[in-house]
Amino acid sequence: MTLNEERKCRHCGSSEFDEATDYLLLRKSKVSFVGSEKVYTFCISCGEVQSIRLTNPNVFKK
């Protein structure tokens, strides 16, 4: 689902969403140098997080 598709917040019913990242890498282990950023899609009205996705999930493939 993209930001332009119509959707409703499960918590407050708003249809206004945005995306943000915390720029912390999700890594396989503490010693791993590669990872992927997490992107949060959240409701602008109440802050409910609708989804979390990785920008580079391929780093976790073997």
Side-chain angles (χ1 to χ4, degrees), residues 8-19:
K8 296 283 184 192
C9 175
R10 295 180 295 253
H11 187 259
C12 73
S14 174
S15 60
E16 295 184 74
F17 291 85
D18 205 348
E19 291 184 342

Side-chain angles (χ1 to χ4, degrees), residues 4-62:
N4 296 329
E5 292 179 27
E6 186 63 29
R7 58 186 160 190
K8 296 283 184 192
C9 175
R10 295 180 295 253
H11 187 259
C12 73
S14 174
S15 60
E16 295 184 74
F17 291 85
D18 205 348
E19 291 184 342
T21 182
D22 56 13
Y23 294 105
L24 297 174
L25 295 181
L26 182 66
R27 295 182 273 178
K28 279 186 150 183
S29 69
K30 291 181 182 180
V31 296
S32 178
F33 292 108
V34 296
S36 180
E37 291 178 353
K38 299 171 294 295
V39 177
Y40 300 89
T41 302
F42 61 93
C43 175
I44 296 288
S45 296
C46 71
E48 177 80 10
V49 175
Q50 183 183 39
S51 70
I52 302 169
R53 73 178 182 346
L54 300 177
T55 58
N56 188 12
N58 292 330
V59 299
F60 298 98
K61 292 182 180 179
K62 293 183 179 186

